[in-house]
Protein backbone atom coordinates (compact mmCIF):
# COMPACT_ATOMS: atom_id res chain seq x y z
CA UNK A 1 0.00 0.00 0.00
CA UNK A 2 1.25 3.45 -0.89
CA UNK A 3 1.90 5.76 2.10
CA UNK A 4 0.19 9.11 2.58
CA UNK A 5 1.91 12.48 2.87
CA UNK A 6 0.92 15.09 5.42
CA UNK A 7 2.76 18.32 4.57
CA UNK A 8 3.90 20.21 7.67
CA UNK A 9 2.63 23.75 7.20
CA UNK A 10 4.82 25.25 9.94
CA UNK A 11 7.68 24.67 7.48
CA UNK A 12 6.03 26.47 4.57
CA UNK A 13 7.02 29.94 3.42
CA UNK A 14 4.02 32.23 4.02
CA UNK A 15 5.05 34.49 1.14
CA UNK A 16 4.49 31.59 -1.27
CA UNK A 17 1.53 29.98 0.46
CA UNK A 18 -0.88 30.13 -2.50
CA UNK A 19 1.62 28.65 -4.95
CA UNK A 20 2.56 25.96 -2.43
CA UNK A 21 -1.07 24.91 -2.00
CA UNK A 22 -1.52 24.82 -5.78
CA UNK A 23 1.45 22.42 -6.10
CA UNK A 24 0.06 20.29 -3.24
CA UNK A 25 -3.31 20.04 -4.98
CA UNK A 26 -1.74 19.14 -8.32
CA UNK A 27 0.55 16.56 -6.71
CA UNK A 28 -2.34 15.18 -4.64
CA UNK A 29 -0.91 15.70 -1.18
CA UNK A 30 -3.16 13.80 1.23
CA UNK A 31 -3.19 16.09 4.28
CA UNK A 32 -1.90 19.44 5.51
CA UNK A 33 -0.27 18.90 8.92
CA UNK A 34 -1.04 21.78 11.26
CA UNK A 35 1.09 22.06 14.41
CA UNK A 36 -1.09 23.88 16.94
CA UNK A 37 1.14 24.99 19.85
CA UNK A 38 0.20 26.84 23.02
CA UNK A 39 3.59 27.74 24.55
CA UNK A 40 2.74 25.49 27.53
CA UNK A 41 2.69 21.92 26.31
CA UNK A 42 5.62 22.76 24.05
CA UNK A 43 8.08 25.66 24.31
CA UNK A 44 6.81 27.41 21.19
CA UNK A 45 3.73 29.09 19.76
CA UNK A 46 2.29 27.70 16.57
CA UNK A 47 -0.44 27.75 14.03
CA UNK A 48 -3.76 28.87 15.44
CA UNK A 49 -7.45 29.33 14.79
CA UNK A 50 -7.14 32.20 12.26
CA UNK A 51 -4.51 30.35 10.24
CA UNK A 52 -6.74 27.26 10.06
CA UNK A 53 -9.73 29.36 8.97
CA UNK A 54 -7.63 31.07 6.27
CA UNK A 55 -6.29 27.77 4.99
CA UNK A 56 -9.82 26.36 4.63
CA UNK A 57 -10.57 29.23 2.26
CA UNK A 58 -7.56 28.35 0.12
CA UNK A 59 -8.05 24.59 -0.23
CA UNK A 60 -10.18 21.53 0.38
CA UNK A 61 -7.19 19.33 1.24
CA UNK A 62 -8.10 17.72 4.59
CA UNK A 63 -6.23 18.94 7.65
CA UNK A 64 -4.17 16.82 10.01
CA UNK A 65 -4.41 18.84 13.22
CA UNK A 66 -1.64 18.01 15.68
CA UNK A 67 -2.70 19.57 18.97
CA UNK A 68 0.30 20.34 21.16
CA UNK A 69 -1.75 22.12 23.78
CA UNK A 70 -2.62 21.43 27.41
CA UNK A 71 -6.09 20.00 28.06
CA UNK A 72 -7.11 19.89 24.38
CA UNK A 73 -10.57 18.50 25.24
CA UNK A 74 -11.75 22.01 26.19
CA UNK A 75 -10.45 23.63 22.97
CA UNK A 76 -11.75 21.31 20.26
CA UNK A 77 -14.74 23.49 19.38
CA UNK A 78 -12.42 26.41 18.50
CA UNK A 79 -10.88 24.62 15.54
CA UNK A 80 -13.67 24.09 12.99
CA UNK A 81 -12.90 20.37 12.73
CA UNK A 82 -14.32 18.66 9.62
CA UNK A 83 -15.10 14.98 9.27
CA UNK A 84 -12.39 14.46 6.64
CA UNK A 85 -9.71 15.73 9.07
CA UNK A 86 -7.36 13.87 11.35
CA UNK A 87 -7.02 15.27 14.87
CA UNK A 88 -4.19 14.13 17.17
CA UNK A 89 -4.29 14.89 20.85
CA UNK A 90 -1.31 14.06 23.05
CA UNK A 91 -1.38 11.33 25.68
CA UNK A 92 0.78 13.60 27.86
CA UNK A 93 -1.42 16.70 27.50
CA UNK A 94 -4.34 15.72 29.72
CA UNK A 95 -5.10 13.68 32.86
CA UNK A 96 -8.27 12.49 31.10
CA UNK A 97 -7.11 10.77 27.94
CA UNK A 98 -10.17 8.57 27.41
CA UNK A 99 -12.53 11.44 28.15
CA UNK A 100 -10.67 13.69 25.71
CA UNK A 101 -10.97 11.00 23.01
CA UNK A 102 -14.67 10.58 23.85
CA UNK A 103 -15.19 14.31 23.38
CA UNK A 104 -13.27 14.28 20.10
CA UNK A 105 -15.34 11.49 18.53
CA UNK A 106 -18.55 13.52 17.90
CA UNK A 107 -16.62 15.80 15.53
CA UNK A 108 -16.62 12.85 13.11
CA UNK A 109 -12.91 13.18 12.30
CA UNK A 110 -10.27 10.47 12.54
CA UNK A 111 -9.21 10.41 16.22
CA UNK A 112 -5.48 9.94 16.75
CA UNK A 113 -3.42 9.80 19.92
CA UNK A 114 0.08 11.29 19.73
CA UNK A 115 2.90 10.07 21.97
CA UNK A 116 6.21 11.79 22.68
CA UNK A 117 9.52 9.95 22.24
CA UNK A 118 9.84 9.24 26.00
CA UNK A 119 6.32 7.83 26.34
CA UNK A 120 6.34 4.04 26.18
CA UNK A 121 4.19 2.08 23.73
CA UNK A 122 2.40 0.18 26.51
CA UNK A 123 0.39 3.28 27.58
CA UNK A 124 -1.71 2.70 24.47
CA UNK A 125 -3.12 -0.57 25.74
CA UNK A 126 -6.26 0.85 27.38
CA UNK A 127 -7.14 3.27 24.60
CA UNK A 128 -6.90 1.08 21.51
CA UNK A 129 -10.71 0.92 21.26
CA UNK A 130 -10.92 4.73 21.29
CA UNK A 131 -8.58 5.59 18.45
CA UNK A 132 -8.28 5.39 14.68
CA UNK A 133 -4.57 6.10 14.68
CA UNK A 134 -1.37 6.86 16.56
CA UNK A 135 0.89 9.81 15.84
CA UNK A 136 4.35 8.59 16.79
CA UNK A 137 6.63 11.54 17.51
CA UNK A 138 10.15 10.89 16.28
CA UNK A 139 11.41 14.17 17.83
CA UNK A 140 10.38 16.07 20.94
CA UNK A 141 7.65 18.22 19.44
CA UNK A 142 7.62 21.98 19.08
CA UNK A 143 10.21 22.74 16.44
CA UNK A 144 10.96 21.84 12.86
CA UNK A 145 14.44 20.86 11.75
CA UNK A 146 15.41 18.60 14.67
CA UNK A 147 17.24 15.28 14.42
CA UNK A 148 15.39 12.05 15.03
CA UNK A 149 15.56 10.66 18.59
CA UNK A 150 17.40 7.39 17.80
CA UNK A 151 15.32 5.21 20.17
CA UNK A 152 12.14 6.04 18.26
CA UNK A 153 13.12 3.78 15.36
CA UNK A 154 13.15 0.74 17.63
CA UNK A 155 9.96 2.05 19.20
CA UNK A 156 8.21 2.10 15.81
CA UNK A 157 9.11 -1.56 15.40
CA UNK A 158 7.83 -2.27 18.92
CA UNK A 159 4.57 -0.46 18.18
CA UNK A 160 4.10 -2.54 15.06
CA UNK A 161 4.52 -5.82 17.01
CA UNK A 162 2.28 -4.50 19.79
CA UNK A 163 -0.56 -3.66 17.38
CA UNK A 164 -0.18 -7.06 15.71
CA UNK A 165 -0.31 -8.81 19.09
CA UNK A 166 -3.55 -6.98 19.91
CA UNK A 167 -5.12 -7.71 16.50
CA UNK A 168 -5.24 -3.98 15.90
CA UNK A 169 -3.46 -3.63 12.56
CA UNK A 170 -6.37 -1.49 11.41
CA UNK A 171 -5.02 1.34 13.59
CA UNK A 172 -3.15 3.81 11.38
CA UNK A 173 0.41 4.78 12.32
CA UNK A 174 1.58 8.29 11.49
CA UNK A 175 5.19 9.36 12.02
CA UNK A 176 6.15 12.96 12.74
CA UNK A 177 9.55 14.61 12.97
CA UNK A 178 12.70 14.38 10.81
CA UNK A 179 10.99 12.23 8.19
CA UNK A 180 13.66 12.13 5.53
CA UNK A 181 13.15 9.82 2.53
CA UNK A 182 15.49 7.37 4.27
CA UNK A 183 13.58 7.42 7.57
CA UNK A 184 10.24 7.26 5.75
CA UNK A 185 11.27 4.15 3.86
CA UNK A 186 12.53 2.50 7.05
CA UNK A 187 9.39 3.39 9.00
CA UNK A 188 7.11 2.18 6.25
CA UNK A 189 8.70 -1.23 6.81
CA UNK A 190 7.47 -0.98 10.42
CA UNK A 191 3.89 -0.29 9.38
CA UNK A 192 3.78 3.52 9.25
CA UNK A 193 1.38 4.79 6.60
CA UNK A 194 1.17 8.58 7.10
CA UNK A 195 4.38 10.58 6.86
CA UNK A 196 4.68 14.15 8.10
CA UNK A 197 6.75 15.97 5.53
CA UNK A 198 8.57 19.01 6.85
CA UNK A 199 11.97 20.58 6.42
CA UNK A 200 13.51 17.09 6.15
CA UNK A 201 11.78 16.31 2.87
CA UNK A 202 9.12 18.30 1.02
CA UNK A 203 10.20 21.70 2.38
CA UNK A 204 13.94 21.28 1.92
CA UNK A 205 15.47 23.80 -0.44
CA UNK A 206 13.49 26.41 -2.34
CA UNK A 207 9.81 26.63 -3.19
CA UNK A 208 10.79 25.59 -6.74
CA UNK A 209 11.98 22.24 -5.33
CA UNK A 210 8.56 21.29 -3.89
CA UNK A 211 7.41 19.11 -6.77
CA UNK A 212 10.68 17.21 -7.04
CA UNK A 213 10.77 16.71 -3.24
CA UNK A 214 7.21 15.38 -3.16
CA UNK A 215 7.99 12.90 -5.92
CA UNK A 216 11.13 11.69 -4.13
CA UNK A 217 9.22 11.14 -0.89
CA UNK A 218 6.36 9.40 -2.72
CA UNK A 219 8.83 7.02 -4.28
CA UNK A 220 10.36 6.23 -0.85
CA UNK A 221 6.95 5.31 0.58
CA UNK A 222 5.55 3.44 -2.37
CA UNK A 223 7.87 0.46 -2.33
C1 LIG B 1 6.86 18.51 15.50
C2 LIG B 1 6.65 19.03 14.10
C3 LIG B 1 7.90 18.84 13.30
C4 LIG B 1 7.94 19.34 11.90
C5 LIG B 1 8.27 18.27 10.93
O1 LIG B 1 6.51 19.43 16.41
O2 LIG B 1 5.51 18.39 13.57
O3 LIG B 1 8.21 17.51 13.39
O4 LIG B 1 6.87 20.01 11.45
O5 LIG B 1 9.25 18.65 10.08
P1 LIG B 1 10.82 18.37 10.20
O6 LIG B 1 11.12 17.57 8.97
O7 LIG B 1 11.45 19.72 10.16
O8 LIG B 1 11.11 17.63 11.46
ZN1 LIG C 1 3.34 17.69 14.18
Amino acid sequence: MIGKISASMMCSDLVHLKDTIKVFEEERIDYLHIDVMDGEFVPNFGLGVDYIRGLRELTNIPLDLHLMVLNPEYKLQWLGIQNTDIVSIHYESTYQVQRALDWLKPFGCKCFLAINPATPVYVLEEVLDYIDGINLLMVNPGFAGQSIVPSTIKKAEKLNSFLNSQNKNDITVEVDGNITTHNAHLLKGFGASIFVAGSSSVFSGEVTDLRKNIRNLKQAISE
Side-chain angles (χ1 to χ4, degrees), residues 8-27:
S8 181
M9 296 310 288
M10 77 182 283
C11 302
S12 73
D13 182 348
L14 265 186
V15 174
H16 300 290
L17 187 59
K18 266 192 166 171
D19 298 336
T20 301
I21 296 294
K22 191 165 175 283
V23 172
F24 285 173
E25 287 177 345
E26 287 168 3
E27 297 292 325

Side-chain angles (χ1 to χ4, degrees), residues 8 33 35 66 68 135 137 176 196:
S8 181
H33 186 85
D35 286 306
H66 178 193
M68 289 170 272
N135 183 4
L137 268 295
D176 186 5
V196 177

Side-chain angles (χ1 to χ4, degrees), residues 120-133:
V121 161
Y122 73 79
V123 302
L124 298 167
E125 191 167 351
E126 301 302 331
V127 295
L128 291 177
D129 293 338
Y130 294 70
I131 56 178
D132 301 300

Side-chain angles (χ1 to χ4, degrees), residues 112 133-136 159 163 171-175 190-194:
F112 280 33
I134 293 155
N135 183 4
L136 196 64
L159 174 61
L163 292 176
I171 291 183
T172 303
V173 176
E174 173 177 12
V175 284
F190 298 146
S193 64
I194 302 181

